[in-house]
Amino acid sequence: MTGIELNGKTVICGLMGDPVEHSVSPAMHNAAFHRLGLNYAYLPFRVSKEGLPGAVQGIRALHIAGVNVTIPHKTSIIPLLDEIDPLARRIGAVNVVHNKSGRLFGSNTDADGFLRMLKEQGIDGHGLHAAVLGAGGASRAVCFALASLGCEITILNRTLQKALDCADDMEKYAGRTFSALELNTHNLAAALEEAGLIVNATSLGMAPRADESPIDRGLLKRRHIVVDIVYNPVKTGLLSQAQKAGARTIGGLDMLAWQGALSFEIWTGRRAPLDVMRRAAAKAVKRYEK
Ligand code: NAP
């Protein structure tokens, strides 16, 4: 339910991914459109890998105003678009497409969403040492965001080569070196000794395997700030462990709401009602948790 009467002038936005059934983005964006009284609607579009070129052509053909892009299309959509924002190109992932009179412009609001979340939490990255777990699309956005703040970063990933590639790409961007290690207990112990900020950007801990955590509890200390960008469940196993260790914790819903708000502003040109989006996202996640 959007709360808005659909009619011939309704502007369509949406999400392209596979799966999309459990996405909270429709709830988040439709609540925002409703709050601002905009005649927009946001729909989930399940798009297979093979279907992506046709779906992208469909954005133009159907005059869809914009879409979010999620797994598995964030990288493969890049060559199908007309223009890519330089940061999104460096990250190698697009999560927002804006249709400007038939020309499709791709950008990445995960990186800026992460930065806005940090700022809102009063975390100044300068001089901070961060350990970032994962080297997928979301992790690369987080790493580039942290690099832009001047953080020292150690990237830990199950597949070492992807962590090395991310560190290389960031070096070209920031002109300084970053560490890359295989994600295992030994390397985590060393990295977490150094780190003040820990970010889980792997999909470990995501429902339905919510009991999994990428970090042994004994490695978490009171002095750590622990961010889990996984938002389903709201309180992941890692966040529970970190709280028990006395660490400060931040869940993934805040970044989610920020990246959504930035997408909303790209499509509508209006300031997003962030708190409305955050509440709608939290409610939708709770619904799926049941
Ligand atoms: P992705 O590109 O598929 O990357 C997944 C990452 O998780 C890779 O680094 C992968 O390691 C690692 N991983 C997966 N299973 C693992 C396991 N069993 N053990 C160790 N590492 C494992 O996905 P993504 O787009 O980066 O998303 C990652 C998570 O972030 C998802 O849970 C997503 O929902 C969340 N996310 C949150 C937000 C937000 O706004 N809060 C935004 C974007 C994404 P390998 O490279 O070795 O496969």
Side-chain angles (χ1 to χ4, degrees), residues 134-138 157-159 162 202-204 206 229 231 252 255-256:
N157 195 46
R158 177 176 64 178
T159 309
K162 279 169 67 179
T202 72
S203 42
L204 274 173
M206 194 167 83
I229 74 161
Y231 54 82
M255 172 180 167
L256 182 77

Side-chain angles (χ1 to χ4, degrees), residues 150-205:
C151 291
E152 302 275 311
I153 305 168
T154 304
I155 307 156
L156 300 112
N157 195 46
R158 177 176 64 178
T159 309
L160 175 61
Q161 190 56 49
K162 279 169 67 179
L164 290 166
D165 292 346
C166 182
D168 273 357
D169 292 344
M170 282 162 51
E171 185 175 339
K172 285 178 206 134
Y173 163 69
R176 56 198 174 89
T177 55
F178 298 92
S179 308
L181 298 170
E182 188 186 323
L183 179 59
N184 59 41
T185 304
H186 175 78
N187 288 339
L188 263 175
L192 299 197
E193 266 310 304
E194 302 268 310
L197 177 69
I198 302 167
V199 183
N200 175 39
T202 72
S203 42
L204 274 173

Side-chain angles (χ1 to χ4, degrees), residues 3-62:
I4 293 174
E5 190 191 329
L6 303 181
N7 56 38
K9 292 184 179 169
T10 304
V11 179
I12 303 297
C13 295
L15 171 71
M16 287 186 174
D18 191 12
V20 290
E21 285 83 350
H22 290 117
S23 169
V24 303
S25 292
M28 190 164 68
H29 284 281
N30 286 319
F33 295 146
H34 182 51
R35 171 57 64 96
L36 268 59
L38 296 175
N39 188 2
Y40 278 61
Y42 186 105
L43 303 172
F45 299 115
R46 186 163 68 84
V47 175
S48 66
K49 285 184 182 168
E50 307 71 48
L52 186 65
V56 170
Q57 194 49 34
I59 299 174
R60 296 185 185 93
L62 298 171

